[in-house]
Structures are given as C-alpha cells and as structure tokens.
C-alpha cells in the first residue's frame, strides 16, 4: 500500500531537509563558535597568553608621545618597544588561524603575514621618503635571521674591517650631462646625501637602475609565487612533518576572534610603525645615532623579536630543523617577497626605491649567506658555531655604528 501523499516529493533531492542552506544561513553558521573556544577564552589567551604582552602598555604611550610631541627619544623608544608585543600578537593570531585552515591556506597565510611587521614598517618608511631606512631594515632582517639567531664565523669577522676600509676608501664625483648641461644638481636633489648611490651616475645610469630594480622585483615576485606553489602544492610532501614527531595542537581561539585580532593588531601596528619612523630623523641627529645602524640593527630586532624568541625556544626543545626552517625561510620570504614588494610599492607611490645596495652592505650579505650555508650544510651544529655567528653580527653592528 502506497504511503505517498500530496506533500511527498517526486524526487529524493526534492526533500527540504536535503536542500543546501541559503548563503545568509551559511554565513551566519560560519560566525558561530559552537565547538570552538568561546570569545572570552579566545581573547583571554590572545592578550594574556604570553608574558611579552606586558609590553602592550607601551602602545598607548606611543600614541600619547606622538600627539603630545614629546622628546624624539621617548617617541622612538615607546614606539620601538610597542611593536614587539604587537609582532608577537600578529604571530599568535596567524598561528591560531592556521590550525583551522588546513595546510595550503595556512601556508599562504603564514607567507602573507609572516613578515607583516617588516612590510608595515617598510611601507611607513617608504611613504615618509626614508628610502635608506627601508633598504637597511630589509637587509638587517635577513642578517638578523641568518646571524643573530643561527650565529656567525670568527674568520669572517676578519673580513668585515677590510671590507669596511675598502668601501670607505672608494670615492667618485658627480658626473654626466644632458645637452651640455650638468645633471649633478638634479642627482643631488634626488639623493642629497648619496644614500642610494646616485652620486657618480649619469642620467642614463639612474634611469637604468630604476628599470633594472623594478624588472627584477617583478621577476622575484613570480619566483616567490612559484616557490609557494612548489612548497604548498606540487612538492608539499617534501615539507610534511614526520608522523608522530609534531604534536597535534588544539586551537585556543575561535576563527572569528583570531581574524578580528589579526585585523586590529595590524591597524595598531601600522600607526606605531608610522610614529617610529617619524621620530628616526630627529633621534638620529639629536643623539648621534647613525641612521644605517637604526635601520640595519634596531628595526629588524624589534620587527623579528617574536620570531627570534620562537626560534630559540624550538632550539631549546632540540627541534633544530624547525629552528633553521624558521630562520632561513623567513630570510627567503624577505628577499623574494618583501623586498620586491616594497620596490613596486615605491614605484606606484613615486618613491624611487632600488635594489642597489652599498658595496659594504653587499659584501656583508654575501659573506653572511656563504658562511651560514657552510655551517648548516653538514646538518650538524654546536654552541661554538652559534657563538661565532653572534660575534660576526656584533662586528657588523659595530661597523655600521661607526659608519
């Protein structure tokens, strides 16, 4: 006997219970924290999960010192310290989102926000015309990851003073003309302190340098995209953790709380970075602190503070592969993503940031990469190698202080 009625669907998929939910319903469900940590628990972990967050008290001090126009040293110091816990919070929010998004999306998220502080500080300096600070801070980020966290060789320390003397003894004059008219005043106006190395170039050289830098930046971004595809898609098995080695981590924040935390901290960091950069010029002049030292040593330390702590903590747990992966991976991201990105941003905003670094800086980078490669290629390490790497970093810092 048939039990069909006038309300029985003609087809099985005509049942209302089987119909897909409306978009609005699905969106509301995505905001639900059911089965996830509550909002209270999420933000409690976010703001009180680390002792480093005590330094968040410097965030309002950074704002106050800027708006009340306090002494440049106070403005610089407050903003400098405030960025440290903000960088840590960016990392926390990114990690919590990664636990819910799966390997591919979490990899893209870490690639995008892993160097968020460097990008924010770089753009702030770029928009204020501090091109030399941009260059030295990017180079300093690479060096701090390679040397300060991994370490450097004592033998290389003997190369630094010689390279410094060689670069300082090199001299050149303004030259070149257009239709018989000297372009020296034009170059001097573009680069009055020869911070970008324009002095000694003719008009064609300056123009060619811009084209080379911008073209290389575009190519590097394509290489970085290919690197992401290689790491996350085609050869992801090479980067898979060994089963049983990596402990499964339970999320401490719901996904929406992590998103709002990430967005809010990014906005606050952009303001603190802007105030920090705005105080550099006055601080450098009043207290006789070389700007290259600020860019190469101080800014990268504050931008990478949380990352450095994580690397050292992993090393203390005997997870050296993860430590090296963090340091080297971060350096790759800066060189192949952050640097070309800021060159293109400068192109769009009419700030002529180039990939031309001073001779001494280029030598320092080359020697550092070469020596770190020698130290890690055998897969072994000891505390003496680490001490040597740190020693070289201190020698470089000293060289840039006296420069």
């Amino acid at each position: 006997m048939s039990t069909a009625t006038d309300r029985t669907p003609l087809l099985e998929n005509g049942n209302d219970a089987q119909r897909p939910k409306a978009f609005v319903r699905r969106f509301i469900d995505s905001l639900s924290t059911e089965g996830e940590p509550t909002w209270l628990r999420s933000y409690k972990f976010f703001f009180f999960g680390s002792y480093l967050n005590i330094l968040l008290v410097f965030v309002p001090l950074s704002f106050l010192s800027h708006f009340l126009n306090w002494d440049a040293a106070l403005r610089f110091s407050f903003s400098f310290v405030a960025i440290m816990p903000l960088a840590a919070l960016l990392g926390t929010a990114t990690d919590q989102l990664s636990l819910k998004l799966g390997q591919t999306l979490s990899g893209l998220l870490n690639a995008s926000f892993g160097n968020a502080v460097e990008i924010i500080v770089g753009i702030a300096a770029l928009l204020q015309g501090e091109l030399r600070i941009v260059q030295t801070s990017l180079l300093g980020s690479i060096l701090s990851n390679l040397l300060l966290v991994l370490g450097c060789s004592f033998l290389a320390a003997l190369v630094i003073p010689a390279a410094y003397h060689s670069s300082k003894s090199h001299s050149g004059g303004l030259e070149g003309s257009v239709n018989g008219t000297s372009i020296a005043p034009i170059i001097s106006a573009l680069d009055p302190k020869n911070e970008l190395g324009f002095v000694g170039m003719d008009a064609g050289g300056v123009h060619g340098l811009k084209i080379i830098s911008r073209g290389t930046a575009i190519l590097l971004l394509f290489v970085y995209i290919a690197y992401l595809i290689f790491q996350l898609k085609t050869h992801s098995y090479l980067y898979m953790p060994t089963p049983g080695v990596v402990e499964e981590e339970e999320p401490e924040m719901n996904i929406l709380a992590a998103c709002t935390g990430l967005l809010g901290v990014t906005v606050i960091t952009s303001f603190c970075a802007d105030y920090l950069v705005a105080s550099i010029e006055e601080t450098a002049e009043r207290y006789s602190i070389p700007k290259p030292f600020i860019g190469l040593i101080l800014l990268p330390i504050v931008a990478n503070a949380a990352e450095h702590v994580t690397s050292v903590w992993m090393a203390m747990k005997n997870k050296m592969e993860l430590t090296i992966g963090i340091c080297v991976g971060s350096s790759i991201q800066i060189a192949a993503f952050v640097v070309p990105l800021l060159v293109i941003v400068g192109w769009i905003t009419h700030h002529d940031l180039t990939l031309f670094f001073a001779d001494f800086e280029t030598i320092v980078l080359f020697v550092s990469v070469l020596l770190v490669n020698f130290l890690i290629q055998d897969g072994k390490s000891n505390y003496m190698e680490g001490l040597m790497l740190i020693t070289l970093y201190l020698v470089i810092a000293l060289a840039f202080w006296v420069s």
Side-chain angles (χ1 to χ4, degrees), residues 223-302:
V223 170
Y224 185 69
I225 293 172
Y227 168 72
L228 290 180
I229 294 174
F230 178 87
Q231 186 179 35
L232 303 176
K233 186 73 175 176
T234 61
H235 289 69
S236 59
Y237 61 89
L238 296 176
Y239 301 90
M240 294 293 289
T242 305
V245 174
V246 178
E247 302 174 0
E248 290 292 331
E249 186 178 352
E250 290 294 327
E252 299 285 350
M253 301 178 67
N254 65 65
I255 191 167
L256 196 57
C259 286
T260 55
L262 185 64
L263 179 61
V265 172
T266 301
V267 173
I268 296 174
T269 304
S270 66
F271 281 102
C272 289
D274 193 58
Y275 302 155
L276 175 67
V277 173
S279 64
I280 287 177
E281 186 76 34
E282 187 178 348
T283 302
E285 291 182 2
R286 181 175 296 183
Y287 297 95
S288 301
I289 303 175
K291 288 175 64 177
F293 179 84
I294 293 176
L296 190 92
I297 304 299
L298 298 184
L299 294 187
I301 287 178
V302 67

Side-chain angles (χ1 to χ4, degrees), residues 43 50 89 92 96 156 179 201 208-209 225 234 257 290 361 363 396:
Y43 281 120
S50 170
L89 288 179
T92 298
Q96 290 299 311
N179 295 329
M201 292 186 185
L209 182 60
I225 293 172
T234 61
E361 295 164 7
I363 293 171
I396 293 173

Side-chain angles (χ1 to χ4, degrees), residues 45-94:
F45 170 78
F46 190 59
F47 289 111
F48 301 101
S50 170
Y51 288 110
L52 188 63
N53 291 346
I54 295 175
L55 298 179
L56 286 172
V57 69
F58 286 93
V59 173
L61 288 175
S62 172
F63 280 71
L64 278 174
S65 62
H66 175 76
F67 288 111
L68 298 180
N69 197 27
W70 291 353
D71 183 78
L74 290 177
R75 285 183 277 130
F76 179 85
S77 300
F78 290 157
S79 300
F80 182 89
V81 178
I83 290 178
M84 290 187 184
L86 292 174
L89 288 179
L90 281 174
T92 298
T94 303

Side-chain angles (χ1 to χ4, degrees), residues 98-225:
S98 300
L99 296 176
K100 300 290 294 182
L101 296 179
Q103 180 187 356
T104 301
L105 287 178
S106 65
L108 291 174
L109 186 69
N110 281 298
S112 302
F113 285 93
N115 298 104
V117 178
E118 286 95 332
I119 295 174
I120 292 171
V121 173
I123 291 177
L126 194 63
L127 296 180
Q128 295 186 37
E130 295 285 357
L131 304 186
R132 191 77 178 112
I133 290 294
V134 177
Q135 284 191 327
T136 52
S137 66
L138 293 174
L139 177 63
S141 293
I142 296 174
L143 293 178
S144 66
N145 279 297
L146 290 178
L147 300 181
L148 189 59
V149 182
L150 288 178
C152 176
S153 168
F154 178 72
L155 292 176
L158 302 179
V159 178
I160 300 304
Y164 174 77
H165 179 270
S166 175
S167 67
K168 286 302 174 184
S169 63
H170 178 72
S171 61
L174 291 172
E175 57 188 39
S177 63
V178 177
N179 295 329
T181 303
S182 174
I183 65 165
I186 300 175
I187 296 179
S188 296
L190 287 173
D191 190 12
K193 299 181 181 178
N194 192 30
E195 292 183 334
L196 299 179
F198 286 163
V199 173
M201 292 186 185
D202 56 17
V206 175
H207 181 67
L209 182 60
K210 294 179 186 177
I211 293 177
I212 292 172
S213 297
R214 293 165 181 173
T216 304
I218 294 173
L219 292 175
L220 281 175
L221 286 179
F222 277 117
V223 170
Y224 185 69
I225 293 172

Side-chain angles (χ1 to χ4, degrees), residues 385-396:
E385 289 182 348
L387 179 61
M388 290 176 178
L389 289 169
I390 295 173
T391 301
L392 178 61
Y393 186 78
L394 296 176
V395 171
I396 293 173

